[in-house]
Amino acid sequence: MSPSRLLSLPPEVIHNILASGDPASLASWRACCCTLHTFIENDSLLWKEHFLKRFDEPYGNIAEVDGLFFKKELQKFVELNKILCALETSTKLKHMSTIVETVEQLLKTAKSDDYESLNVQFLASCFDLKGNFPQLLCNSSLYDSMRRDALERASTRPSYPTGSYWLREHVRLSSEDPYPHTTIYDCRPDQQLSAKLNCFWGVFDSGDDIIYNRHWLGLALDDHRVTRFSFNPKTSSVHEYARANVYDLRRYSEANYWGPFQSDGSQKVDWERVEAIMILLSHNMAAFAKKHGAHNAITNKTWNIAFTGLRPQPSSRLTISPEALDPYDIAGTWMRIVCFLDFDDLYSYNFLEKPPLLNRPRSPIGTEEAIRFIVMKVHVIRLSPPGDKDGKTLPVAHFEGTAKLVRPLGDGNDKSRLRGIVRLTPEGEVRWTSWSIFNGEERWQSEGVQVGGIGSKRGVIGTWFDKNFSDEGPAGPTAFWKVKKSQ
């Protein structure tokens, strides 16, 4: 329909025609003529209708804003879809900061019901496995290490004389130094953003690395080269690289609080660290279920479904008063997983093998870990003002409680007491610090970040370590998520 013919119709008919199309088409219609441009710009109901057809209705005070809000947000989300639909990977990587920022906003305003949320459905479709998953979610240093090792193996295998070529072509490895950092503690912003997206997207619960092994190579699921190459017995799986990251004791230091934070003292989350912990713990939980039977499995299923479990629950979405006794929704029952290497294996891996250069990761490790499932019951005991290095929006919450080993069965020393604190980091992330107390003495400490923020069902992901901060360990991964609210 021509613009002149469209403008000859009554305003309500023009509105209905424009509302029935795709929101991206509004830009084309606005470019047709000044009259149509003005009509679309001033039709706040049009922008709202387009928004609510495709995204969740905003809640709280946001729902009371005028049509300008819906116009701005719809334009932002249409731009995200345009970026993610681009054919060139370089175009997407160039806009990683915009992508992550918009994804976070969609998650914060999504419905609590994962299966009814239009925002979650939109994001899941944007990051489907055949498209943006390998291009955007598999670009952290962990996957870079895997690709580098795959390239080296392919280039030396006589049965694959062109292996180096096709890996470079499809994985898009550059000829630059794959380790440009001074040390392993340095963080590249683009790799941090990719890891953060991967933490939001989730991990697989099957214990099978088939999908990962295909996608870190950047190849399609049905690409025959993946079957012939990535399952070579000498090819390490993604969880082995994640395990190398988690059990490399060089990565535990005072500068990163021995937790999943960047090593500059800023308390900024090290999303590559969180990504490695999620991948490793998910693999370990799946292996436990396979060994002991699925009916014995204890998992956080929100990790395994794209972009789920990241929204606060309704009670947490209300405006939180600083005077509230439990501003972080701490009180209740939590399920915790703790994994660890045998101390001899941990020591050998870190101190008996030839150490890599400071800017090189340790080699992947396939050593099986021990796994423990623990039920924690905690409650808030007091609040205190935030410290100099804390975020100022909320107070610091102090909690205490008990912990009981539930899998495998305990040996009599399966109970302990807990104490901890929860506060905001300067960038607004929720940081948890806790101590396990045996026979009146603090023994283990842990540091973690709640992925998704207050009330998120993804839970707290981080590390545990000796409370004396021994450079020789032990240390390992841990996570806990809420299973029952306090009565």
Side-chain angles (χ1 to χ4, degrees), residues 20 36 57 78 132 185 192 252 279 283 291 381 397 476 484:
S20 64
L36 200 53
E57 183 174 3
V78 168
N132 292 306
Y185 316 116
Q192 285 289 315
Y252 294 81
I279 291 172
H283 168 82
K291 182 177 181 179
I381 54 174
K484 185 179 180 181

Coordinates of all heavy atoms in Angstrom, one line a residue, residues 20 36 57 78 132 185 192 252 279 283 291 381 397 476 484:
S20 N -0.6 -4.3 12.9 CA -0.6 -5.7 12.5 C 0.7 -6.2 11.9 O 0.9 -7.4 11.7 CB -1.8 -5.9 11.5 OG -1.5 -5.2 10.3
L36 N 3.4 10.6 7.8 CA 3.4 9.3 8.4 C 4.4 9.2 9.6 O 4.1 8.5 10.6 CB 3.7 8.3 7.3 CG 3.2 6.8 7.6 CD1 1.8 6.7 8.0 CD2 3.5 5.9 6.4
E57 N 4.8 -7.7 29.9 CA 4.4 -6.4 30.4 C 5.2 -6.0 31.6 O 5.4 -6.8 32.5 CB 2.9 -6.4 30.8 CG 2.3 -5.1 31.3 CD 0.8 -5.1 31.5 OE1 0.2 -6.2 31.4 OE2 0.3 -4.1 31.8
V78 N 14.3 -4.4 19.1 CA 14.4 -4.6 17.6 C 15.8 -4.5 17.1 O 16.3 -5.3 16.3 CB 13.5 -3.6 16.9 CG1 13.8 -3.6 15.4 CG2 12.0 -3.9 17.1
N132 N 23.7 -18.3 17.1 CA 24.5 -17.4 17.9 C 25.2 -18.1 19.1 O 26.0 -17.5 19.7 CB 23.6 -16.3 18.4 CG 23.1 -15.3 17.3 OD1 24.0 -14.8 16.6 ND2 21.8 -15.2 17.2
Y185 N 45.5 -13.8 35.1 CA 44.6 -13.0 35.9 C 44.0 -11.9 35.1 O 42.9 -11.3 35.5 CB 45.2 -12.5 37.2 CG 46.1 -13.5 37.9 CD1 47.4 -13.3 38.0 CD2 45.5 -14.7 38.4 CE1 48.3 -14.2 38.7 CE2 46.3 -15.6 39.1 CZ 47.7 -15.4 39.2 OH 48.5 -16.3 39.8
Q192 N 35.0 -11.7 28.8 CA 34.1 -11.6 30.0 C 32.6 -11.5 29.6 O 31.8 -12.2 30.2 CB 34.5 -10.4 30.8 CG 35.8 -10.6 31.6 CD 35.6 -11.6 32.8 OE1 34.6 -11.5 33.5 NE2 36.6 -12.5 32.9
Y252 N 43.7 -18.4 42.8 CA 43.1 -18.1 44.1 C 44.1 -17.1 44.7 O 45.3 -17.4 45.0 CB 43.0 -19.3 45.0 CG 41.9 -20.3 44.5 CD1 42.2 -21.2 43.5 CD2 40.7 -20.3 45.0 CE1 41.3 -22.1 43.0 CE2 39.7 -21.2 44.6 CZ 40.0 -22.1 43.6 OH 39.1 -23.0 43.2
I279 N 30.0 -25.1 34.3 CA 30.2 -26.2 33.4 C 30.7 -27.4 34.1 O 30.2 -28.5 33.9 CB 31.2 -25.8 32.3 CG1 30.6 -24.8 31.3 CG2 31.7 -27.0 31.5 CD1 31.6 -24.2 30.3
H283 N 28.5 -30.9 34.9 CA 29.0 -32.2 34.4 C 29.1 -33.2 35.6 O 28.7 -34.3 35.5 CB 30.4 -32.0 33.8 CG 31.1 -33.3 33.6 ND1 30.9 -34.1 32.5 CD2 32.1 -34.0 34.4 CE1 31.7 -35.2 32.6 NE2 32.4 -35.2 33.8
K291 N 25.8 -42.4 37.7 CA 26.5 -43.5 38.5 C 25.5 -44.0 39.6 O 25.5 -45.2 39.9 CB 27.7 -42.9 39.2 CG 28.5 -43.9 40.0 CD 29.8 -43.3 40.6 CE 30.6 -44.3 41.4 NZ 31.8 -43.7 41.9
I381 N 20.3 -12.7 61.0 CA 20.4 -12.4 62.4 C 20.5 -10.9 62.7 O 20.1 -10.4 63.7 CB 21.5 -13.1 63.1 CG1 22.9 -12.8 62.4 CG2 21.3 -14.6 63.2 CD1 24.1 -13.4 63.2
A397 N 23.8 -8.0 55.1 CA 23.0 -8.9 55.9 C 23.9 -10.0 56.5 O 24.7 -10.6 55.8 CB 21.9 -9.5 55.1
G476 N 38.2 -25.5 45.8 CA 37.4 -26.1 44.7 C 36.1 -25.3 44.4 O 35.9 -24.2 45.0
K484 N 13.5 -23.9 49.4 CA 12.3 -23.7 50.2 C 12.4 -22.4 51.0 O 13.5 -22.2 51.6 CB 12.1 -24.9 51.2 CG 10.8 -24.8 52.0 CD 10.7 -26.0 52.9 CE 9.4 -26.0 53.8 NZ 9.3 -27.2 54.7

